[in-house]
Amino acid sequence: MDLAFHSALYPPSLSSTSITRRPNFNSHLNRPFTAYDSELESKKHLLLTSVQDTQRGLLTTPDQRSSIEEALVNVEGRNMGLPINLAKLDGTWRLQYTSAPDVLILLQAAATLPFFQIGQIFQKFECRDQSNGGIIRNVVRWSVPNLLEEQEGATLLVSAKFNVVSVRNIYLQFQEIAVQDINISEELQALIAPAILPRSFINLQILQFLRTFKAQIPVRDPGRESVGGLYYLSYLDDNMLLGRAVGGGGVFVFTRAQSLY
């Protein structure tokens, strides 16, 4: 939370010659002051608490889903109707909960199949200097035990363009699906290129190929409208993003994360 400091810190009796340097208490003093809203923060905390033991939405009872929806609506109501702030939306958001069937299928597969793991899931918005849209990237970290590094063995990247179509609605036009950032396990590295010498040139080339491999699949056909969907951004502040896929596609709860790239 930004802090405001009054001129009383430096009384008029102290001249500029008697103060060589004023301490920089906060590097963000140039940002507008934002009052702390204890009621809102309490509602946000309640929402995050209600979803924390659900494995991002995979394991929920009807009573839990009802409680989560109520907590979500309580937060949404605090800035409903305010226009989307693209500068604030810009950045990386970590998924905490969803009821979207296409995401729950991935989570269910990871919970069921011993050879498949799902790590962190993010949405990355690139729209800081834009006025009416930008790029959104859905980032899924996944792995295959013993072949790839645990949790972050590879990245599935689904990219889309988006345009702001109303006060809080954006329209997505999916562009590309990619698999990249392959991190093979130490066991697989040892099989491909054993630590004992000599390592052949071909062994090393295989390792380099796997590390830099990237498969890209376009979602749209030339000359045709790309697959799209309407996404309602129901709440946004500095550290929380709530969204609803219009048409029964599910709800999403995100919290601010560190930049991925």
Side-chain angles (χ1 to χ4, degrees), residues 78-122:
R78 296 308 297 263
N79 68 1
M80 187 174 294
L82 295 177
I84 298 168
N85 184 332
L86 292 180
K88 187 175 292 185
L89 180 63
D90 182 87
T92 303
W93 302 87
R94 187 194 312 274
L95 180 69
Q96 302 294 342
Y97 172 85
T98 186
S99 61
D102 53 343
V103 180
L104 293 180
I105 287 174
L106 285 176
L107 298 177
Q108 181 63 51
T112 305
L113 303 175
F115 54 84
F116 184 56
Q117 294 178 342
I118 291 291
Q120 297 294 338
I121 299 176
F122 303 92

Side-chain angles (χ1 to χ4, degrees), residues 179-254:
V179 176
Q180 61 185 49
D181 301 332
I182 306 295
N183 299 308
I184 62 177
S185 67
E186 293 183 1
E187 294 88 344
L188 182 57
Q189 290 186 53
L191 287 174
I192 296 174
I196 57 175
L197 297 176
R199 285 185 171 186
S200 71
F201 175 75
I202 293 178
N203 292 136
L204 295 176
Q205 286 294 97
I206 292 173
L207 280 178
Q208 182 64 21
F209 170 78
L210 290 173
R211 288 167 179 160
T212 59
F213 174 80
K214 181 177 181 179
Q216 297 173 287
I217 305 171
V219 178
R220 60 181 301 177
D221 295 327
R224 298 183 61 183
E225 187 76 11
S226 63
V227 179
L230 201 60
Y231 191 24
Y232 176 61
L233 302 179
S234 57
Y235 180 85
L236 171 65
D237 67 13
D238 290 332
N239 52 43
M240 178 173 281
L241 170 65
L242 306 180
R244 294 179 181 268
V246 177
V251 302
F252 300 86
V253 176
F254 292 94

Side-chain angles (χ1 to χ4, degrees), residues 2 16 24 82 107 114 125 129 148 162 166 186 228 232 237 260:
D2 292 338
S16 59
N24 182 12
L82 295 177
L107 298 177
F125 287 86
D129 299 320
L148 303 177
F162 76 88
S166 66
E186 293 183 1
Y232 176 61
D237 67 13
L260 294 175

Side-chain angles (χ1 to χ4, degrees), residues 143-178:
S143 184
V144 177
N146 301 320
L147 296 180
L148 303 177
E149 288 187 5
E150 189 172 347
Q151 299 296 322
E152 296 189 0
T155 298
L156 174 67
L157 192 67
V158 181
S159 301
K161 292 182 179 179
F162 76 88
N163 293 305
V164 178
V165 295
S166 66
V167 174
R168 300 200 69 81
N169 282 301
I170 62 175
Y171 185 76
L172 310 181
Q173 291 182 300
F174 294 99
Q175 302 292 307
E176 181 184 83
I177 299 174

Side-chain angles (χ1 to χ4, degrees), residues 85-87 90 126-135 162 164:
N85 184 332
L86 292 180
D90 182 87
E126 300 170 7
C127 53
R128 178 174 296 277
D129 299 320
Q130 305 298 316
S131 60
N132 195 44
I135 301 294
F162 76 88
V164 178

